């Protein structure tokens, strides 16, 4: 068939996008494409709009029209006959696709709040997800999206965690738990067959927040659960939900489901993660065309069940700070999990107060839809967090709890950027804290070796208070510490003292710390040196998602409690990259 | 590591992690600038150590369809063949993928490799359909082995059952 002049001059990628759009249309998407009457009722639902008054390009209907015009031009008779009347317009160049990327990835977190207020039933987030998928299929996507997608395709988890590191982290958490409870029977069983529960996690837990794994293990142990974690196929997150790539979505889910079946697990428990839960429980059976033969539940439901069945006892006075709850968009708006976390919160802390609006009407944490991985949009993301910051502040709470790992990071950045006096945590941490375990925990005795004894550490931070704090904690636990106030000072000290570890703050005066990092890494005399980044800035996310080729051995987020600092430093020092 | 259910005399299909294999050469589906990036690239940089990256700095950039050889640092493999294949539904994908596979085999021969491991070339992140990849890879590899100089054994290393199946089917055609 002869090509029309327009088709001939359209770029290859634009042509693929136009053709593929036709294949992605289903009743729901066509409905959203044709139903909008531009009444504007959805406009003020969007946190981007509320935080950027006067900028019409953030309005949901405006954003939707950028996609809609292509649909109308090619797949709707009104646009084919009266393109000028219905605003139909095709897409011709790669530059236009880039513009679409900026809207689709950079101006929407697919939070679905706008859909709530649409009388016509338009679901913009679903349209937007499809658009992302079209762009990804021709290789147009933010760099972080590419990094994370490739990790999940090839390593089976979206944070590039290698199997040996994952297993070592589990072993280490098991040892910590045994020490804490003085009970060698407290285990994190790996690949145990025919268990009642197979527990799957977000790779963020293995990489940056192992405490959540330890806390979950403590709860399973206290409940006397017959449980296991898989050595492979353990990631319950699914970047396909964010990137719009249904094939990735299906492949990831199949891997996880197959693994539960191979292990003969009766129930898959999904740790606290909004998009992981929505993907695995609600969307993935469809993407993977998989008839899932076992039960699935969120760990929030599991913990609540344990309390109701009398399998664990909680002392809520141990969590006495004022606490509020942030509903994750995926859990609350998309999956209807709103009451279970509240029921549990009331059992686990003494002062729970609502945030308004809440439940399915809550605002996005700003980090949804994969936004945390897209560092080019960080300034926009932080600006769009204004409404979230106001909402958080109005509660007067000191702790915000959320059952989503993405929200933990999104909220942490909002809290820092708007200088709120709050910390973020999850239900698993509060429940573990409140657990009443019959056998009293052993009181540590002084004869025990200090955990950092014999370790030599260079600590670099330009803020004197911080430097002193970090150094004092490490010294208290037995380390010999050398203090540096800049990157260059750290470099000199490292070369002189040949320590086991250097910790670097990201924002120090003088040479950029990334440059110092490169110098340290390329010095052949410093081969065994461990490097840990400690920072309190959102640039941290960029560093995490850049996935440097020789990545730092650890990242820690400021402000750091003594416990978190010690745990983080020990993780870096004690975990090696041993082969599987 | 799950070993092969299907094997011809010289081709093995296995499930596992390609970067842990003890082979002479392993193929990495690379970007034109040869940056290792994420995915298998992360595994190569962490398990292989910094020397691989250093060596790559003077080998790039590489055109689509071409392949270059580097050392493999601390990996159990001796070489890595960085093969730059077609990506994201680009034009003439089939032709380009064919050239990429043939160039990878040529590189292996030039390096005198006896064993080589291929991943499912370009499937997954780069969007090459699994059936196209499995058909071409099995066809070209079996043809090549008929007249190969040094290559004696080819491993196709996949990650899971979803990837295993199409290769198993293609291999059973070769074994008859
Ligand atoms: S889905 Fe959320 S972020 Fe996107 S336009 Fe709607 S309200 Fe805004
Ligand atoms: S509320 Fe619905 S109909 Fe009104 S502008 Fe928004 S999407 Fe269109």
């Amino acid at each position: 068939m002869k090509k029309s002049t327009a088709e001939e001059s359209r770029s290859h990628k634009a042509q693929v996008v136009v053709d593929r759009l036709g294949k992605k249309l289903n009743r729901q998407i066509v409905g959203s494409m044709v139903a909008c009457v531009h009444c504007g009722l959805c406009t003020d639902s969007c946190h981007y709009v509320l935080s950027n008054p006067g900028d019409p390009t953030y309005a949901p209907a405006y954003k939707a029209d950028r996609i809609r015009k292509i649909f109308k031009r090619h797949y709707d008779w009104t646009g084919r006959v009266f393109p000028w009347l219905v605003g139909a317009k095709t897409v011709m160049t790669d530059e236009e696709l880039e513009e679409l990327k900026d809207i689709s990835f950079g101006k929407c977190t697919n939070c679905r709040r706008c859909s709530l207020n649409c009388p016509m039933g338009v679901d913009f987030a679903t349209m937007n997800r499809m658009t992302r998928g079209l762009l990804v299929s021709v290789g147009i996507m933010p760099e972080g999206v590419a990094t994370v997608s490739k990790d999940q395709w090839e390593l089976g988890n979206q944070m590039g965690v290698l199997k040996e590191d994952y297993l070592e982290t589990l072993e280490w958490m098991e040892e910590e738990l045994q020490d804490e409870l003085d009970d060698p029977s407290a285990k994190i069983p790996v690949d145990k067959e025919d268990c009642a529960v197979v527990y799957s996690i977000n790779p963020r837990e293995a990489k940056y927040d192992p405490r959540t794994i330890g806390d979950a293990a403590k709860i399973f142990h206290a409940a006397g659960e017959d449980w296991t974690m898989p050595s492979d196929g353990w990631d319950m997150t699914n970047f396909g939900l964010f990137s719009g790539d249904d094939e990735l979505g299906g492949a990831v889910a199949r891997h996880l489901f197959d693994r539960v079946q191979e292990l003969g697990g009766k129930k898959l428990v999904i740790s606290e993660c909004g998009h992981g839960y929505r993907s695995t429980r609600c969307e993935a059976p469809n993407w993977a065309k998989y008839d899932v033969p076992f039960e699935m539940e969120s760990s929030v439901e599991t913990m609540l069940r344990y309390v109701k069945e009398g399998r664990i006892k909680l002392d809520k006075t141990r969590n006495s700070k004022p606490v509020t709850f942030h509903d994750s968009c995926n859990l609350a708006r998309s999956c209807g999990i709103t009451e279970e976390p509240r029921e549990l919160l009331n059992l686990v802390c003494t002062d729970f107060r609502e945030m308004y609006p809440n439940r399915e009407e809550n605002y996005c944490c700003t980090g949804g839809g994969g936004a945390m991985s897209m560092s080019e949009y960080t300034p926009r993301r932080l600006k769009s967090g204004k409404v979230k910051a106001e909402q958080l502040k109005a509660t007067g709470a000191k702790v915000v709890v959320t059952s989503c790992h993405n929200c933990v990071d999104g909220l942490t950045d909002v809290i820092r950027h708007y200088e709120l006096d709050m910390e973020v945590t999850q239900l698993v941490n509060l429940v573990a804290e409140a657990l009443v375990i019959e056998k009293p925990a052993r009181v540590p005795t002084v004869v025990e070796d200090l955990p950092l004894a014999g370790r030599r550490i260079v600590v670099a931070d330009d803020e004197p208070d911080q430097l002193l704090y970090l150094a004092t904690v490490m010294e208290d636990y037995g380390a010999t510490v050398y203090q540096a106030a800049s990157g260059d000072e750290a470099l000199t000290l490292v070369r002189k003292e040949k320590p086991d570890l250097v910790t670097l703050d990201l924002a120090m005066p003088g040479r950029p710390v990334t440059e110092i990092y490169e110098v340290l890494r390329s010095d052949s005399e410093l081969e065994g040196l461990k490097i840990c980044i400690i920072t309190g800035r959102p640039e941290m996310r960029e560093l995490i998602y850049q996935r440097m080729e020789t990545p730092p051995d650890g990242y820690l987020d400021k402000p750091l409690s003594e416990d978190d600092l010690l745990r983080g430093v020990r993780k870096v020092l004690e975990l090696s990259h041993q082969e599987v | 590591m799950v070993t092969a259910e299907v094997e011809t005399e010289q081709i093995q299909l296995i499930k596992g992690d390609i970067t842990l294999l003890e082979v002479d050469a392993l193929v990495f589906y690379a970007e034109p600038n040869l940056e290792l990036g994420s995915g298998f690239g992360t595994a190569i940089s962490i398990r292989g150590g910094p020397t691989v990256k250093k060596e790559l700095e003077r080998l790039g950039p590489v055109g689509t369809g071409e392949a270059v050889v580097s050392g493999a640092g601390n990996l159990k493999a001796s070489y890595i063949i960085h093969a730059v294949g077609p990506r994201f539904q680009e034009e003439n994908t089939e032709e380009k993928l064919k050239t990429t596979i043939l160039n990878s085999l040529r590189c292996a021969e030039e390096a005198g490799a006896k064993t080589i491991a291929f991943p499912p070339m370009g499937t997954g992140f780069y969007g090459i359909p699994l059936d196209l990849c499995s058909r071409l890879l099995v066809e070209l590899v079996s043809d090549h082995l008929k007249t190969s100089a040094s290559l004696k054994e080819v491993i196709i290393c996949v990650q899971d059952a979803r990837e295993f199946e199409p290769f198993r089917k293609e291999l059973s055609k070769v074994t008859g």
Side-chain angles (χ1 to χ4, degrees):
Chain A
M1 198 169 67
K2 196 175 174 301
K3 282 187 169 181
S4 67
T5 326
E7 277 175 354
E8 270 167 18
S9 54
R10 188 176 288 126
S11 74
H12 173 71
K13 287 182 181 176
Q15 186 63 48
V16 172
V17 165
V18 168
D19 293 343
R20 210 171 157 105
L21 169 60
K23 298 191 188 102
K24 289 283 170 190
L25 296 173
N26 56 31
R27 196 186 299 177
Q28 186 193 16
I29 288 180
V30 172
S32 293
M33 291 283 190
V34 298
C36 178
V37 292
H38 297 94
C39 65
L41 282 175
C42 56
T43 309
D44 288 340
S45 317
C46 178
H47 61 286
Y48 283 102
V49 173
L50 295 174
S51 302
N52 294 275
D55 185 344
T57 67
Y58 283 106
Y62 175 90
K63 293 182 273 198
D65 282 350
R66 304 308 99 191
I67 307 161
R68 198 170 271 134
K69 65 179 187 177
I70 308 171
F71 163 81
K72 292 220 163 164
R73 177 65 190 80
H74 293 277
Y75 298 102
D76 187 49
W77 71 270
T78 56
R80 280 198 296 253
V81 182
F82 312 111
W84 66 92
L85 191 70
V86 295
K89 196 165 177 288
T90 189
V91 58
M92 298 297 291
T93 63
D94 291 0
E95 287 71 39
E96 287 172 68
L97 294 179
E98 288 287 339
E99 283 166 25
L100 205 54
K101 173 189 100 174
D102 187 75
I103 290 171
S104 183
F105 288 96
K107 292 192 166 181
C108 172
T109 56
N110 280 1
C111 77
R112 297 189 63 240
R113 195 167 191 274
C114 51
S115 312
L116 283 184
N117 290 321
C118 177
M120 306 302 292
V122 171
D123 184 351
F124 169 56
T126 301
M127 273 169 73
N128 197 48
R129 178 176 177 273
M130 176 205 66
T131 308
R132 289 180 173 196
L134 296 176
L135 294 169
V136 163
S137 80
V138 293
I140 294 187
M141 64 193 111
E143 212 182 314
V145 170
T147 303
V148 175
S149 303
K150 193 163 185 284
D151 269 344
Q152 205 166 24
W153 270 116
E154 296 177 359
L155 297 178
N157 72 84
Q158 55 164 287
M159 288 218 164
V161 179
L162 299 183
K163 189 172 182 174
E164 54 272 34
D165 291 339
Y166 165 75
L167 292 175
E168 262 191 284
T169 305
L170 298 192
E171 264 173 45
W172 181 50
M173 281 297 111
E174 180 179 279
E175 282 163 24
E176 295 262 299
L177 183 64
Q178 292 175 349
D179 282 355
E180 183 191 337
L181 302 179
D182 194 15
D183 180 356
S185 76
K187 294 246 191 268
I188 300 186
V190 175
D191 286 344
K192 194 172 151 209
E193 292 184 1
D194 304 319
C195 283
V197 162
V198 175
Y199 186 54
S200 58
I201 59 166
N202 183 316
R204 181 183 171 280
E205 300 179 63
K207 199 146 184 173
Y208 306 110
D209 195 7
R211 186 173 57 127
T212 54
I213 305 173
D215 283 351
K218 188 170 163 186
I219 297 164
F220 285 130
H221 174 73
E225 188 58 275
D226 173 27
W227 72 294
T228 191
M229 293 180 78
S231 63
D232 172 45
W234 48 267
D235 179 6
M236 54 67 185
T237 67
N238 198 319
F239 211 72
L241 181 71
F242 297 156
S243 69
D245 182 350
D246 291 348
E247 272 151 45
L248 173 60
V252 169
R254 183 167 282 279
H255 198 65
L256 176 66
F257 295 157
D258 279 351
R259 209 50 206 127
V260 179
Q261 290 221 66
E262 281 162 23
L263 290 173
K266 311 283 178 298
K267 183 184 275 184
L268 174 66
V269 170
I270 300 159
S271 79
E272 281 176 273
C273 174
H275 98 273
Y277 181 83
R278 177 176 165 199
S279 303
T280 307
R281 176 101 190 247
C282 314
E283 312 281 355
N286 190 21
W287 294 330
K289 306 203 172 27
Y290 205 107
D291 198 3
V292 182
F294 46 82
E295 275 181 67
M296 295 190 259
E297 79 184 2
S298 156
S299 62
V300 177
E301 298 166 295
T302 316
M303 292 184 282
L304 183 59
R305 193 160 51 77
Y306 290 160
V307 185
K308 288 185 173 169
E309 290 169 0
R311 291 169 71 175
I312 56 174
K313 284 198 188 70
L314 302 175
D315 172 6
K316 63 166 152 179
T317 61
R318 294 195 201 152
N319 294 310
S320 57
K321 286 188 195 167
V323 167
T324 189
F325 185 67
H326 164 86
D327 289 278
S328 124
C329 301
N330 282 314
L331 274 184
R333 201 144 42 236
S334 292
C335 302
I337 299 210
T338 53
E339 302 319 306
E340 297 84 344
R342 288 176 168 76
E343 215 180 325
L344 192 53
L345 270 169
N346 280 314
L347 293 165
V348 88
C349 65
T350 50
D351 179 359
F352 166 59
R353 37 184 91 177
E354 284 289 359
M355 165 157 41
Y356 294 95
N358 54 48
R359 297 178 166 84
E360 44 285 295
E361 304 217 344
N362 187 27
Y363 289 108
C364 178
C365 68
T366 74
M372 300 313 293
S373 66
M374 307 172 200
S375 48
E376 57 268 64
Y377 307 128
T378 301
R380 249 187 236 174
R381 169 166 66 82
L382 294 172
K383 190 170 177 209
S384 80
K386 190 164 161 271
V387 50
K388 187 83 243 169
E390 285 162 4
Q391 217 191 343
L392 286 168
K393 199 168 176 188
T395 64
K398 292 285 171 221
V399 179
V400 52
V401 173
T402 184
S403 288
C404 173
H405 281 279
N406 245 309
C407 297
V408 170
D409 285 342
L411 293 171
T412 303
D413 282 3
V414 167
I415 287 170
R416 262 188 215 143
H417 186 74
Y418 292 92
E419 297 178 0
L420 307 178
D421 177 22
M422 270 183 140
E423 57 180 296
V424 189
T425 191
Q426 297 199 279
L427 272 163
V428 69
N429 308 122
L430 293 188
V431 172
E433 183 64 38
L435 261 189
V436 180
I437 293 180
E438 300 304 341
K439 198 169 169 185
R442 182 170 49 146
V443 181
T445 46
V446 275
V447 285
E448 253 186 290
D449 270 352
L450 291 169
L452 298 180
R455 299 293 191 175
R456 303 168 67 251
I457 303 174
V458 169
V459 179
D461 202 304
D462 63 319
E463 284 175 41
D465 289 353
Q466 263 302 317
L467 184 59
L468 187 67
Y469 169 69
L470 298 172
T472 313
V473 174
M474 293 187 215
E475 276 166 356
D476 284 353
Y477 286 101
T480 307
V481 177
Y482 307 93
Q483 302 183 22
S486 71
D488 277 297
E489 258 183 68
L491 191 59
T492 315
L493 271 173
V494 167
R495 288 193 166 135
K496 185 162 159 248
E497 302 295 343
K498 303 271 178 336
D500 303 299
L501 164 73
V502 56
T503 73
L504 296 171
D505 173 33
L506 269 192
M508 291 188 285
R511 260 203 289 177
V513 175
T514 41
E515 203 182 310
I516 303 280
Y517 176 82
E518 285 301 322
V519 177
L520 288 168
R521 276 297 187 227
S522 53
D523 189 331
S524 54
E525 299 218 336
L526 301 174
E527 227 166 71
L529 174 75
K530 304 270 178 140
I531 307 181
C532 179
I533 303 289
I534 301 187
T535 181
R537 295 160 63 109
E539 285 86 330
M540 163 103 153
R541 312 271 167 233
E542 191 176 337
L543 211 68
I544 289 176
Y545 286 100
Q546 258 171 10
R547 232 33 77 67
M548 283 187 266
E549 287 183 9
T550 338
D553 302 280
Y555 301 89
L556 294 174
D557 242 349
K558 277 192 226 165
L560 266 170
S561 70
E562 204 172 304
D563 267 1
D564 287 342
L565 174 60
L566 180 66
R567 188 179 284 113
V569 166
R570 285 186 55 203
K571 179 169 196 272
V572 171
L573 284 169
E574 289 170 28
L575 297 196
S576 56
H577 295 296
Q578 280 163 11
E579 272 184 14
V580 282
Chain B
M1 174 97 49
V2 182
T3 39
E5 273 171 31
V6 175
E7 52 187 309
T8 66
E9 213 166 291
Q10 295 159 302
I11 308 178
Q12 270 198 70
L13 172 62
I14 64 171
K15 267 193 267 176
D17 182 333
I18 191 169
T19 64
L20 293 173
L21 296 182
E22 197 167 343
V23 282
D24 292 335
L26 68 83
V27 180
F28 173 62
Y29 205 85
E31 296 270 340
N33 62 12
L34 298 188
E35 268 179 26
L36 289 168
S38 62
F40 292 135
T42 298
I44 291 173
S45 22
I46 296 181
R47 291 177 180 148
T51 55
V52 183
K53 182 192 167 204
K54 283 238 168 71
E55 203 180 330
L56 288 173
E57 278 163 14
R58 51 177 184 80
L59 291 175
V62 175
T64 303
E66 291 170 29
V68 291
V69 182
S70 78
N74 304 327
L75 295 183
K76 288 185 197 143
S78 310
Y79 314 104
I80 301 171
I81 298 175
H82 304 260
V84 179
R87 299 172 297 155
F88 306 116
Q89 310 183 71
E90 69 180 64
E91 286 163 290
N92 306 323
T93 290
E94 178 160 352
E95 210 38 52
K96 288 175 183 165
L97 184 61
K98 208 167 158 178
T99 316
T100 313
I101 296 170
L102 290 174
N103 276 328
S104 309
L105 290 164
R106 181 185 50 74
C107 279
E109 293 287 357
E110 282 169 12
K114 291 196 177 60
T115 52
I116 183 173
F118 280 96
M121 300 282 282
T123 64
F125 178 63
Y126 294 112
I128 307 274
L130 260 172
D131 353 339
L132 172 68
C133 171
S134 51
R135 176 167 58 77
L136 282 185
L137 190 58
V138 172
E139 226 172 74
L140 295 172
V141 163
S142 4
D143 273 359
H144 180 87
L145 283 171
K146 288 177 194 150
T147 56
S148 68
S150 69
L151 270 181
K152 295 278 172 280
E153 194 189 337
V154 176
I155 295 172
I156 298 173
C157 182
V158 301
Q159 295 193 77
D160 52 23
R162 185 188 61 86
E163 291 180 342
F164 195 90
E165 205 36 38
F167 283 97
R168 191 194 58 76
K169 273 200 192 126
E170 290 299 327
L171 273 173
S172 63
K173 287 185 197 160
V174 182
T175 50

